[in-house]
Amino acid sequence: MKTVKGFSKIVAMVGAVALGLTLSACGNTNSASNTDSKNSGSTPTVSFMLDWTPNTNHIGLYVAQKLGYYKDADVNVKILPTAQAGAETSVENGVANVGFTTLSNVAAFNSQGADLKFVFDLTQKPVARWCALASRTDIKTPKDLSGKTFISFGSAEQTAVVRQMIKYAGGTGDIKTATAGTNTFETLTSGKGDFGGFYVTWEGVESELNGPKLNCFVASDWGVPGNPDQLGFAVKGSWLKDSANADALKKFIAATKKGYDYALANPDKAADILVEQAKEAQLDSKLTRTSMEEIAKNNYWTTDDPKSLPGTTNFDDAQPYLEFQYKAGTYKDQDGNDPASAPQAKDLATNEYVG
């Protein structure tokens, strides 16, 4: 695939999607064989599938690999490039043991009959932003997005968020949609759309570094309950029933968390490791460093609750958002109907493997 500047690819499934990176969307996208945790002698192997090309969301894995944290934990880790089917489907089908996803995507897939379990929550604070160009002086609050064109990837989840923000601000919630290209910045500046979704930790940084400037809104400030942006790791529930796999997952998460902790304490060094280790992504060093500095400075991966460890799912933030999306009709069963009840965060996620 061609290398593109910026990102805004959405990993979609049954209408529930999360903002995803499309920075330099090149690299091998062939699926890889699942490596059983007992195939490497006494040292288990865990295969991990990215959701898109490497970026700072994945930095903990590359740091842990480079600095020997996986070796110290006695676990082999194989990082797989994303498959066209997506990390969720790849985990469900046994192509990978662990995949990068969102809690809401797990809810969407499981509503369709999948058996996914969310086991590590990286982002503890909302990172998604809904933005128009700063030059659009007619857009001051989400109310002003009424009747405007949303640069969309066909996501029912995103549409529900945007409409709620607009209504909360006093607008009608009526919007038009335009299909996003490979670069949301370009789609905005071309005039094909009025606003779109971005990650503050990457596109927000890119906007500050290279332009164009953006005027952004945070969903939780405008009537969307809970944390919409619980990004992290999921596995197949049945895979965990094997005690050897469960033990390997604990080792993997402990070492990976150590990698993320290192990145927070040493953002520039960690960014350089990511750029070096993920050469196929052709990451811009300045953008990667600034992204990691933004994450560390604003504590997107840490928790304000002293009783909660970073990496754990905050169920108090999770459930209200899942119920909001359920009421909006985002989650569908295998027949395309609304499930009988809202997905339950306590069934979708566990903190058992974050020590």
Side-chain angles (χ1 to χ4, degrees):
M1 299 176 68
K2 294 181 179 179
T3 298
V4 297
K5 180 183 177 183
F7 72 109
S8 274
K9 182 177 184 293
I10 306 301
V11 180
M13 173 63 179
V14 294
V17 300
L19 290 169
L21 302 170
T22 58
L23 172 75
S24 58
C26 59
N28 181 12
T29 57
N30 294 329
S31 62
S33 298
N34 180 33
T35 304
D36 187 272
S37 62
K38 294 176 285 188
N39 282 349
S40 301
S42 61
T43 301
T45 296
V46 172
S47 56
F48 184 97
M49 181 165 283
L50 306 177
D51 57 328
W52 197 242
T53 49
N55 55 75
T56 45
N57 278 345
H58 313 123
I59 200 167
L61 289 95
Y62 289 92
V63 168
Q65 209 169 50
K66 175 68 174 179
L67 298 185
Y69 295 159
Y70 292 134
K71 182 178 180 180
D72 293 343
D74 192 32
V75 61
N76 295 318
V77 174
K78 185 175 183 181
I79 301 175
L80 306 176
T82 185
Q84 187 171 0
E88 299 89 354
T89 298
S90 297
V91 169
E92 178 67 16
N93 292 342
V95 175
N97 303 133
V98 189
F100 197 94
T101 184
T102 71
L103 181 61
S104 185
N105 269 8
V106 169
F109 274 77
N110 284 9
S111 294
Q112 291 269 310
D115 176 33
L116 300 177
K117 180 73 76 171
F118 197 67
V119 294
F120 182 85
D121 187 357
L122 174 63
T123 51
Q124 300 292 320
K125 298 177 182 178
V127 292
R129 300 292 184 266
W130 306 94
C131 310
L133 295 175
S135 59
R136 291 291 301 270
T137 56
D138 58 320
I139 300 176
K140 295 181 173 62
T141 77
K143 178 181 179 180
D144 301 320
L145 301 177
S146 286
K148 300 291 196 300
T149 300
F150 174 39
I151 300 171
S152 172
F153 293 83
S155 163
E157 181 179 356
Q158 288 186 38
T159 299
V161 167
V162 168
R163 284 178 172 163
Q164 173 65 13
M165 292 171 62
I166 294 173
K167 290 178 180 178
Y168 186 87
T172 64
D174 295 329
I175 55 174
K176 304 171 185 176
T177 60
T179 302
T182 55
N183 189 323
T184 304
F185 285 124
E186 292 177 358
T187 309
L188 277 178
T189 55
S190 71
K192 295 178 181 178
D194 300 299
F195 68 100
F198 299 87
Y199 274 147
V200 68
T201 53
W202 194 271
E203 284 172 320
V205 171
E206 185 178 14
S207 171
E208 291 298 318
L209 290 176
N210 305 319
K213 299 296 184 183
L214 298 171
N215 177 29
C216 300
F217 310 108
V218 183
S220 56
D221 292 341
W222 298 94
V224 177
N227 181 2
D229 308 319
Q230 291 180 295
L231 283 69
F233 308 163
V235 302
K236 189 170 183 176
S238 60
W239 180 77
L240 280 176
K241 293 180 180 179
D242 185 323
S243 60
N245 293 337
D247 182 63
L249 181 64
K250 286 182 179 179
K251 292 178 178 180
F252 165 75
I253 288 180
T256 305
K257 184 178 177 300
K258 189 175 179 181
Y260 282 115
D261 290 343
Y262 177 92
L264 291 175
N266 306 276
D268 288 348
K269 290 180 180 179
D272 292 345
I273 289 173
L274 176 60
V275 171
E276 174 194 351
Q277 293 292 103
K279 289 186 175 65
E280 75 281 1
Q282 301 178 348
L283 296 172
D284 178 86
S285 178
K286 185 176 181 180
L287 173 58
T288 306
R289 277 191 167 207
T290 309
S291 170
M292 196 57 239
E293 290 165 1
E294 171 76 9
I295 290 167
K297 177 183 177 183
N298 289 290
N299 302 315
Y300 289 109
W301 296 346
T302 57
T303 172
D304 295 328
D305 185 352
K307 297 180 182 178
S308 299
L309 291 172
T312 57
T313 298
N314 184 322
F315 294 100
D316 291 338
D317 280 349
Q319 193 57 42
Y321 182 71
L322 295 176
E323 291 177 358
F324 159 72
Q325 286 293 349
Y326 172 75
K327 291 176 182 176
T330 294
Y331 307 126
K332 301 295 182 183
D333 63 20
Q334 291 172 305
D335 297 321
N337 299 318
D338 294 333
S341 59
Q344 297 299 301
K346 63 180 177 60
D347 297 328
L348 300 172
T350 177
N351 293 326
E352 178 182 351
Y353 301 94
V354 182

mmCIF file of all heavy atoms in Angstrom, residues 264-309:
data_model
loop_
_atom_site.group_PDB
_atom_site.id
_atom_site.type_symbol
_atom_site.label_atom_id
_atom_site.label_comp_id
_atom_site.label_asym_id
_atom_site.label_seq_id
_atom_site.Cartn_x
_atom_site.Cartn_y
_atom_site.Cartn_z
ATOM 1 N N LEU A 264 6.813 6.193 29.269
ATOM 2 C CA LEU A 264 6.330 7.367 29.994
ATOM 3 C C LEU A 264 7.467 8.088 30.712
ATOM 4 O O LEU A 264 7.486 9.315 30.783
ATOM 5 C CB LEU A 264 5.256 6.956 30.998
ATOM 6 C CG LEU A 264 3.916 6.486 30.419
ATOM 7 C CD1 LEU A 264 3.001 5.998 31.532
ATOM 8 C CD2 LEU A 264 3.242 7.605 29.626
ATOM 9 N N ALA A 265 8.403 7.325 31.233
ATOM 10 C CA ALA A 265 9.525 7.914 31.960
ATOM 11 C C ALA A 265 10.616 8.425 31.028
ATOM 12 O O ALA A 265 11.369 9.344 31.392
ATOM 13 C CB ALA A 265 10.115 6.894 32.929
ATOM 14 N N ASN A 266 10.690 7.858 29.826
ATOM 15 C CA ASN A 266 11.741 8.221 28.867
ATOM 16 C C ASN A 266 11.138 8.388 27.476
ATOM 17 O O ASN A 266 11.426 7.608 26.564
ATOM 18 C CB ASN A 266 12.817 7.134 28.834
ATOM 19 C CG ASN A 266 13.387 6.812 30.194
ATOM 20 O OD1 ASN A 266 14.300 7.478 30.670
ATOM 21 N ND2 ASN A 266 12.843 5.774 30.831
ATOM 22 N N PRO A 267 10.283 9.390 27.293
ATOM 23 C CA PRO A 267 9.530 9.488 26.038
ATOM 24 C C PRO A 267 10.389 9.602 24.788
ATOM 25 O O PRO A 267 10.083 8.964 23.773
ATOM 26 C CB PRO A 267 8.651 10.727 26.238
ATOM 27 C CG PRO A 267 9.263 11.477 27.377
ATOM 28 C CD PRO A 267 9.907 10.458 28.241
ATOM 29 N N ASP A 268 11.457 10.377 24.843
ATOM 30 C CA ASP A 268 12.290 10.547 23.649
ATOM 31 C C ASP A 268 13.046 9.269 23.312
ATOM 32 O O ASP A 268 13.123 8.854 22.144
ATOM 33 C CB ASP A 268 13.272 11.703 23.840
ATOM 34 C CG ASP A 268 12.591 13.060 23.798
ATOM 35 O OD1 ASP A 268 11.409 13.129 23.390
ATOM 36 O OD2 ASP A 268 13.228 14.068 24.171
ATOM 37 N N LYS A 269 13.611 8.635 24.331
ATOM 38 C CA LYS A 269 14.348 7.392 24.097
ATOM 39 C C LYS A 269 13.420 6.305 23.563
ATOM 40 O O LYS A 269 13.771 5.550 22.653
ATOM 41 C CB LYS A 269 15.023 6.921 25.379
ATOM 42 C CG LYS A 269 16.184 7.795 25.845
ATOM 43 C CD LYS A 269 16.805 7.252 27.124
ATOM 44 C CE LYS A 269 17.962 8.120 27.599
ATOM 45 N NZ LYS A 269 18.553 7.599 28.869
ATOM 46 N N ALA A 270 12.221 6.221 24.138
ATOM 47 C CA ALA A 270 11.264 5.217 23.689
ATOM 48 C C ALA A 270 10.822 5.490 22.249
ATOM 49 O O ALA A 270 10.679 4.560 21.443
ATOM 50 C CB ALA A 270 10.055 5.195 24.619
ATOM 51 N N ALA A 271 10.600 6.759 21.922
ATOM 52 C CA ALA A 271 10.203 7.119 20.556
ATOM 53 C C ALA A 271 11.280 6.714 19.563
ATOM 54 O O ALA A 271 10.983 6.197 18.475
ATOM 55 C CB ALA A 271 9.929 8.614 20.471
ATOM 56 N N ASP A 272 12.524 6.927 19.927
ATOM 57 C CA ASP A 272 13.629 6.547 19.044
ATOM 58 C C ASP A 272 13.678 5.032 18.863
ATOM 59 O O ASP A 272 13.988 4.537 17.771
ATOM 60 C CB ASP A 272 14.960 7.052 19.607
ATOM 61 C CG ASP A 272 15.070 8.574 19.567
ATOM 62 O OD1 ASP A 272 14.266 9.212 18.850
ATOM 63 O OD2 ASP A 272 15.951 9.122 20.259
ATOM 64 N N ILE A 273 13.383 4.287 19.924
ATOM 65 C CA ILE A 273 13.336 2.827 19.820
ATOM 66 C C ILE A 273 12.237 2.403 18.845
ATOM 67 O O ILE A 273 12.438 1.533 17.991
ATOM 68 C CB ILE A 273 13.101 2.191 21.206
ATOM 69 C CG1 ILE A 273 14.356 2.328 22.077
ATOM 70 C CG2 ILE A 273 12.716 0.718 21.071
ATOM 71 C CD1 ILE A 273 14.160 1.886 23.508
ATOM 72 N N LEU A 274 11.073 3.028 18.953
ATOM 73 C CA LEU A 274 9.965 2.694 18.064
ATOM 74 C C LEU A 274 10.338 2.960 16.611
ATOM 75 O O LEU A 274 10.102 2.126 15.729
ATOM 76 C CB LEU A 274 8.718 3.493 18.443
ATOM 77 C CG LEU A 274 7.494 3.328 17.535
ATOM 78 C CD1 LEU A 274 7.028 1.876 17.498
ATOM 79 C CD2 LEU A 274 6.363 4.245 17.981
ATOM 80 N N VAL A 275 10.919 4.131 16.348
ATOM 81 C CA VAL A 275 11.302 4.482 14.977
ATOM 82 C C VAL A 275 12.307 3.467 14.433
ATOM 83 O O VAL A 275 12.219 3.025 13.274
ATOM 84 C CB VAL A 275 11.885 5.909 14.924
ATOM 85 C CG1 VAL A 275 12.485 6.201 13.554
ATOM 86 C CG2 VAL A 275 10.811 6.936 15.254
ATOM 87 N N GLU A 276 13.249 3.075 15.292
ATOM 88 C CA GLU A 276 14.285 2.127 14.876
ATOM 89 C C GLU A 276 13.731 0.720 14.667
ATOM 90 O O GLU A 276 14.049 0.054 13.680
ATOM 91 C CB GLU A 276 15.385 2.076 15.946
ATOM 92 C CG GLU A 276 16.448 1.008 15.691
ATOM 93 C CD GLU A 276 17.327 0.748 16.890
ATOM 94 O OE1 GLU A 276 17.246 1.508 17.881
ATOM 95 O OE2 GLU A 276 18.102 -0.228 16.847
ATOM 96 N N GLN A 277 12.887 0.274 15.590
ATOM 97 C CA GLN A 277 12.391 -1.095 15.546
ATOM 98 C C GLN A 277 11.306 -1.306 14.485
ATOM 99 O O GLN A 277 11.106 -2.423 14.026
ATOM 100 C CB GLN A 277 11.831 -1.488 16.917
ATOM 101 C CG GLN A 277 12.872 -1.585 18.022
ATOM 102 C CD GLN A 277 13.829 -2.735 17.808
ATOM 103 O OE1 GLN A 277 14.972 -2.540 17.392
ATOM 104 N NE2 GLN A 277 13.368 -3.937 18.083
ATOM 105 N N ALA A 278 10.587 -0.245 14.149
ATOM 106 C CA ALA A 278 9.487 -0.353 13.179
ATOM 107 C C ALA A 278 9.839 0.415 11.905
ATOM 108 O O ALA A 278 9.107 1.307 11.472
ATOM 109 C CB ALA A 278 8.192 0.173 13.792
ATOM 110 N N LYS A 279 10.943 0.042 11.311
ATOM 111 C CA LYS A 279 11.427 0.757 10.126
ATOM 112 C C LYS A 279 10.422 0.744 8.985
ATOM 113 O O LYS A 279 10.356 1.683 8.190
ATOM 114 C CB LYS A 279 12.759 0.152 9.656
ATOM 115 C CG LYS A 279 13.944 0.427 10.562
ATOM 116 C CD LYS A 279 15.238 -0.093 9.947
ATOM 117 C CE LYS A 279 16.454 0.291 10.784
ATOM 118 N NZ LYS A 279 16.461 -0.345 12.109
ATOM 119 N N GLU A 280 9.638 -0.346 8.891
ATOM 120 C CA GLU A 280 8.699 -0.461 7.778
ATOM 121 C C GLU A 280 7.631 0.620 7.806
ATOM 122 O O GLU A 280 7.041 0.959 6.778
ATOM 123 C CB GLU A 280 8.026 -1.849 7.788
ATOM 124 C CG GLU A 280 6.950 -2.058 8.852
ATOM 125 C CD GLU A 280 7.490 -2.338 10.242
ATOM 126 O OE1 GLU A 280 8.723 -2.356 10.422
ATOM 127 O OE2 GLU A 280 6.676 -2.533 11.161
ATOM 128 N N ALA A 281 7.389 1.204 8.977
ATOM 129 C CA ALA A 281 6.369 2.247 9.095
ATOM 130 C C ALA A 281 6.884 3.610 8.664
ATOM 131 O O ALA A 281 6.091 4.530 8.461
ATOM 132 C CB ALA A 281 5.859 2.322 10.534
ATOM 133 N N GLN A 282 8.201 3.752 8.541
ATOM 134 C CA GLN A 282 8.813 5.015 8.117
ATOM 135 C C GLN A 282 8.296 6.186 8.961
ATOM 136 O O GLN A 282 7.878 7.219 8.451
ATOM 137 C CB GLN A 282 8.558 5.271 6.632
ATOM 138 C CG GLN A 282 9.104 4.174 5.729
ATOM 139 C CD GLN A 282 8.799 4.399 4.259
ATOM 140 O OE1 GLN A 282 7.994 5.260 3.901
ATOM 141 N NE2 GLN A 282 9.434 3.632 3.405
ATOM 142 N N LEU A 283 8.329 5.996 10.271
ATOM 143 C CA LEU A 283 7.811 7.009 11.181
ATOM 144 C C LEU A 283 8.697 8.248 11.186
ATOM 145 O O LEU A 283 9.921 8.154 11.160
ATOM 146 C CB LEU A 283 7.719 6.443 12.600
ATOM 147 C CG LEU A 283 6.743 5.285 12.800
ATOM 148 C CD1 LEU A 283 6.902 4.696 14.188
ATOM 149 C CD2 LEU A 283 5.320 5.758 12.597
ATOM 150 N N ASP A 284 8.046 9.399 11.238
ATOM 151 C CA ASP A 284 8.770 10.658 11.371
ATOM 152 C C ASP A 284 9.257 10.796 12.810
ATOM 153 O O ASP A 284 8.463 10.733 13.749
ATOM 154 C CB ASP A 284 7.850 11.826 11.010
ATOM 155 C CG ASP A 284 8.523 13.171 11.172
ATOM 156 O OD1 ASP A 284 9.195 13.618 10.228
ATOM 157 O OD2 ASP A 284 8.394 13.754 12.270
ATOM 158 N N SER A 285 10.536 10.985 12.991
ATOM 159 C CA SER A 285 11.128 10.996 14.332
ATOM 160 C C SER A 285 10.574 12.130 15.189
ATOM 161 O O SER A 285 10.248 11.924 16.367
ATOM 162 C CB SER A 285 12.650 11.109 14.231
ATOM 163 O OG SER A 285 13.239 11.158 15.514
ATOM 164 N N LYS A 286 10.433 13.316 14.618
ATOM 165 C CA LYS A 286 9.951 14.454 15.389
ATOM 166 C C LYS A 286 8.501 14.250 15.804
ATOM 167 O O LYS A 286 8.118 14.521 16.957
ATOM 168 C CB LYS A 286 10.090 15.750 14.578
ATOM 169 C CG LYS A 286 9.712 17.000 15.366
ATOM 170 C CD LYS A 286 9.959 18.260 14.551
ATOM 171 C CE LYS A 286 9.611 19.509 15.362
ATOM 172 N NZ LYS A 286 9.842 20.756 14.560
ATOM 173 N N LEU A 287 7.696 13.765 14.882
ATOM 174 C CA LEU A 287 6.294 13.509 15.198
ATOM 175 C C LEU A 287 6.171 12.429 16.270
ATOM 176 O O LEU A 287 5.383 12.555 17.218
ATOM 177 C CB LEU A 287 5.547 13.075 13.933
ATOM 178 C CG LEU A 287 4.096 12.613 14.091
ATOM 179 C CD1 LEU A 287 3.238 13.695 14.727
ATOM 180 C CD2 LEU A 287 3.518 12.195 12.739
ATOM 181 N N THR A 288 6.969 11.381 16.142
ATOM 182 C CA THR A 288 6.909 10.277 17.105
ATOM 183 C C THR A 288 7.354 10.744 18.487
ATOM 184 O O THR A 288 6.727 10.415 19.503
ATOM 185 C CB THR A 288 7.786 9.111 16.624
ATOM 186 O OG1 THR A 288 7.404 8.743 15.299
ATOM 187 C CG2 THR A 288 7.631 7.903 17.535
ATOM 188 N N ARG A 289 8.438 11.512 18.548
ATOM 189 C CA ARG A 289 8.904 12.041 19.840
ATOM 190 C C ARG A 289 7.863 12.957 20.464
ATOM 191 O O ARG A 289 7.556 12.851 21.661
ATOM 192 C CB ARG A 289 10.214 12.819 19.655
ATOM 193 C CG ARG A 289 11.462 11.953 19.622
ATOM 194 C CD ARG A 289 12.701 12.834 19.710
ATOM 195 N NE ARG A 289 13.898 12.047 19.976
ATOM 196 C CZ ARG A 289 14.972 12.527 20.600
ATOM 197 N NH1 ARG A 289 14.975 13.775 21.036
ATOM 198 N NH2 ARG A 289 16.039 11.767 20.796
ATOM 199 N N THR A 290 7.309 13.860 19.663
ATOM 200 C CA THR A 290 6.347 14.822 20.200
ATOM 201 C C THR A 290 5.069 14.119 20.643
ATOM 202 O O THR A 290 4.455 14.492 21.647
ATOM 203 C CB THR A 290 6.033 15.906 19.156
ATOM 204 O OG1 THR A 290 7.245 16.460 18.652
ATOM 205 C CG2 THR A 290 5.209 17.024 19.769
ATOM 206 N N SER A 291 4.667 13.093 19.906
ATOM 207 C CA SER A 291 3.499 12.307 20.298
ATOM 208 C C SER A 291 3.719 11.667 21.668
ATOM 209 O O SER A 291 2.855 11.744 22.549
ATOM 210 C CB SER A 291 3.220 11.223 19.257
ATOM 211 O OG SER A 291 2.245 10.313 19.711
ATOM 212 N N MET A 292 4.876 11.053 21.851
ATOM 213 C CA MET A 292 5.157 10.392 23.118
ATOM 214 C C MET A 292 5.270 11.402 24.253
ATOM 215 O O MET A 292 4.836 11.145 25.382
ATOM 216 C CB MET A 292 6.441 9.566 22.999
ATOM 217 C CG MET A 292 6.629 8.542 24.102
ATOM 218 S SD MET A 292 5.276 7.368 24.230
ATOM 219 C CE MET A 292 4.765 7.666 25.935
ATOM 220 N N GLU A 293 5.828 12.558 23.967
ATOM 221 C CA GLU A 293 5.907 13.618 24.979
ATOM 222 C C GLU A 293 4.518 14.104 25.366
ATOM 223 O O GLU A 293 4.244 14.376 26.549
ATOM 224 C CB GLU A 293 6.753 14.781 24.450
ATOM 225 C CG GLU A 293 8.242 14.448 24.319
ATOM 226 C CD GLU A 293 8.997 15.458 23.465
ATOM 227 O OE1 GLU A 293 8.357 16.429 22.984
ATOM 228 O OE2 GLU A 293 10.207 15.269 23.264
ATOM 229 N N GLU A 294 3.622 14.208 24.393
ATOM 230 C CA GLU A 294 2.229 14.614 24.650
ATOM 231 C C GLU A 294 1.533 13.590 25.542
ATOM 232 O O GLU A 294 0.815 13.949 26.487
ATOM 233 C CB GLU A 294 1.484 14.744 23.319
ATOM 234 C CG GLU A 294 -0.017 14.942 23.425
ATOM 235 C CD GLU A 294 -0.422 16.345 23.839
ATOM 236 O OE1 GLU A 294 0.455 17.230 23.882
ATOM 237 O OE2 GLU A 294 -1.617 16.542 24.124
ATOM 238 N N ILE A 295 1.744 12.329 25.269
ATOM 239 C CA ILE A 295 1.126 11.259 26.062
ATOM 240 C C ILE A 295 1.620 11.311 27.503
ATOM 241 O O ILE A 295 0.831 11.223 28.448
ATOM 242 C CB ILE A 295 1.437 9.895 25.430
ATOM 243 C CG1 ILE A 295 0.681 9.744 24.099
ATOM 244 C CG2 ILE A 295 1.058 8.753 26.377
ATOM 245 C CD1 ILE A 295 1.147 8.582 23.251
ATOM 246 N N ALA A 296 2.937 11.454 27.671
ATOM 247 C CA ALA A 296 3.516 11.478 29.017
ATOM 248 C C ALA A 296 3.091 12.722 29.788
ATOM 249 O O ALA A 296 2.749 12.649 30.978
ATOM 250 C CB ALA A 296 5.037 11.404 28.928
ATOM 251 N N LYS A 297 3.075 13.853 29.128
ATOM 252 C CA LYS A 297 2.749 15.121 29.778
ATOM 253 C C LYS A 297 1.314 15.154 30.269
ATOM 254 O O LYS A 297 1.023 15.659 31.365
ATOM 255 C CB LYS A 297 2.989 16.278 28.799
ATOM 256 C CG LYS A 297 2.605 17.647 29.339
ATOM 257 C CD LYS A 297 2.805 18.726 28.281
ATOM 258 C CE LYS A 297 2.349 20.089 28.768
ATOM 259 N NZ LYS A 297 2.492 21.133 27.701
ATOM 260 N N ASN A 298 0.395 14.604 29.481
ATOM 261 C CA ASN A 298 -1.030 14.712 29.808
ATOM 262 C C ASN A 298 -1.622 13.438 30.407
ATOM 263 O O ASN A 298 -2.845 13.344 30.570
ATOM 264 C CB ASN A 298 -1.805 15.123 28.552
ATOM 265 C CG ASN A 298 -1.526 16.561 28.156
ATOM 266 O OD1 ASN A 298 -1.929 17.495 28.833
ATOM 267 N ND2 ASN A 298 -0.810 16.741 27.055
ATOM 268 N N ASN A 299 -0.765 12.485 30.733
ATOM 269 C CA ASN A 299 -1.174 11.310 31.516
ATOM 270 C C ASN A 299 -2.338 10.534 30.900
ATOM 271 O O ASN A 299 -3.247 10.098 31.609
ATOM 272 C CB ASN A 299 -1.544 11.741 32.946
ATOM 273 C CG ASN A 299 -0.408 12.449 33.645
ATOM 274 O OD1 ASN A 299 0.737 12.005 33.592
ATOM 275 N ND2 ASN A 299 -0.708 13.559 34.303
ATOM 276 N N TYR A 300 -2.290 10.333 29.594
ATOM 277 C CA TYR A 300 -3.366 9.592 28.931
ATOM 278 C C TYR A 300 -3.367 8.120 29.309
ATOM 279 O O TYR A 300 -4.397 7.449 29.190
ATOM 280 C CB TYR A 300 -3.255 9.741 27.410
ATOM 281 C CG TYR A 300 -3.609 11.119 26.924
ATOM 282 C CD1 TYR A 300 -2.631 11.982 26.430
ATOM 283 C CD2 TYR A 300 -4.927 11.573 26.962
ATOM 284 C CE1 TYR A 300 -2.954 13.258 25.994
ATOM 285 C CE2 TYR A 300 -5.265 12.850 26.522
ATOM 286 C CZ TYR A 300 -4.265 13.687 26.042
ATOM 287 O OH TYR A 300 -4.595 14.953 25.611
ATOM 288 N N TRP A 301 -2.216 7.609 29.754
ATOM 289 C CA TRP A 301 -2.120 6.189 30.073
ATOM 290 C C TRP A 301 -2.123 5.912 31.575
ATOM 291 O O TRP A 301 -2.021 4.754 31.984
ATOM 292 C CB TRP A 301 -0.841 5.601 29.475
ATOM 293 C CG TRP A 301 -0.801 5.620 27.985
ATOM 294 C CD1 TRP A 301 -1.831 5.848 27.123
ATOM 295 C CD2 TRP A 301 0.358 5.399 27.174
ATOM 296 N NE1 TRP A 301 -1.399 5.793 25.827
ATOM 297 C CE2 TRP A 301 -0.048 5.522 25.823
ATOM 298 C CE3 TRP A 301 1.697 5.123 27.446
ATOM 299 C CZ2 TRP A 301 0.832 5.359 24.755
ATOM 300 C CZ3 TRP A 301 2.577 4.961 26.393
ATOM 301 C CH2 TRP A 301 2.148 5.071 25.068
ATOM 302 N N THR A 302 -2.207 6.923 32.380
ATOM 303 C CA THR A 302 -2.175 6.729 33.826
ATOM 304 C C THR A 302 -3.553 6.989 34.411
ATOM 305 O O THR A 302 -4.423 7.577 33.769
ATOM 306 C CB THR A 302 -1.143 7.652 34.484
ATOM 307 O OG1 THR A 302 -1.449 9.013 34.153
ATOM 308 C CG2 THR A 302 0.263 7.341 33.993
ATOM 309 N N THR A 303 -3.744 6.554 35.633
ATOM 310 C CA THR A 303 -5.056 6.667 36.261
ATOM 311 C C THR A 303 -5.002 7.582 37.474
ATOM 312 O O THR A 303 -3.997 7.627 38.186
ATOM 313 C CB THR A 303 -5.579 5.285 36.679
ATOM 314 O OG1 THR A 303 -6.775 5.437 37.448
ATOM 315 C CG2 THR A 303 -4.554 4.521 37.511
ATOM 316 N N ASP A 304 -6.063 8.334 37.689
ATOM 317 C CA ASP A 304 -6.153 9.225 38.855
ATOM 318 C C ASP A 304 -6.563 8.469 40.114
ATOM 319 O O ASP A 304 -6.443 8.986 41.218
ATOM 320 C CB ASP A 304 -7.179 10.332 38.584
ATOM 321 C CG ASP A 304 -6.749 11.254 37.450
ATOM 322 O OD1 ASP A 304 -5.533 11.463 37.294
ATOM 323 O OD2 ASP A 304 -7.633 11.749 36.733
ATOM 324 N N ASP A 305 -7.066 7.251 39.943
ATOM 325 C CA ASP A 305 -7.521 6.457 41.073
ATOM 326 C C ASP A 305 -6.357 5.649 41.640
ATOM 327 O O ASP A 305 -5.830 4.758 40.970
ATOM 328 C CB ASP A 305 -8.636 5.511 40.628
ATOM 329 C CG ASP A 305 -9.252 4.732 41.784
ATOM 330 O OD1 ASP A 305 -8.719 4.813 42.906
ATOM 331 O OD2 ASP A 305 -10.253 4.044 41.546
ATOM 332 N N PRO A 306 -5.922 5.938 42.866
ATOM 333 C CA PRO A 306 -4.776 5.213 43.434
ATOM 334 C C PRO A 306 -5.038 3.725 43.617
ATOM 335 O O PRO A 306 -4.103 2.947 43.773
ATOM 336 C CB PRO A 306 -4.561 5.903 44.783
ATOM 337 C CG PRO A 306 -5.873 6.538 45.119
ATOM 338 C CD PRO A 306 -6.466 6.932 43.798
ATOM 339 N N LYS A 307 -6.309 3.323 43.584
ATOM 340 C CA LYS A 307 -6.649 1.912 43.738
ATOM 341 C C LYS A 307 -6.598 1.159 42.412
ATOM 342 O O LYS A 307 -6.691 -0.065 42.388
ATOM 343 C CB LYS A 307 -8.043 1.779 44.351
ATOM 344 C CG LYS A 307 -8.170 2.362 45.762
ATOM 345 C CD LYS A 307 -9.590 2.187 46.295
ATOM 346 C CE LYS A 307 -9.732 2.802 47.673
ATOM 347 N NZ LYS A 307 -11.127 2.673 48.191
ATOM 348 N N SER A 308 -6.469 1.909 41.314
ATOM 349 C CA SER A 308 -6.483 1.291 39.982
ATOM 350 C C SER A 308 -5.100 1.362 39.351
ATOM 351 O O SER A 308 -4.500 2.434 39.284
ATOM 352 C CB SER A 308 -7.497 1.991 39.071
ATOM 353 O OG SER A 308 -8.806 1.882 39.592
ATOM 354 N N LEU A 309 -4.622 0.246 38.885
ATOM 355 C CA LEU A 309 -3.332 0.191 38.211
ATOM 356 C C LEU A 309 -3.483 0.634 36.755
ATOM 357 O O LEU A 309 -4.488 0.328 36.111
ATOM 358 C CB LEU A 309 -2.781 -1.225 38.234
ATOM 359 C CG LEU A 309 -2.325 -1.791 39.573
ATOM 360 C CD1 LEU A 309 -2.007 -3.278 39.414
ATOM 361 C CD2 LEU A 309 -1.103 -1.041 40.086
#
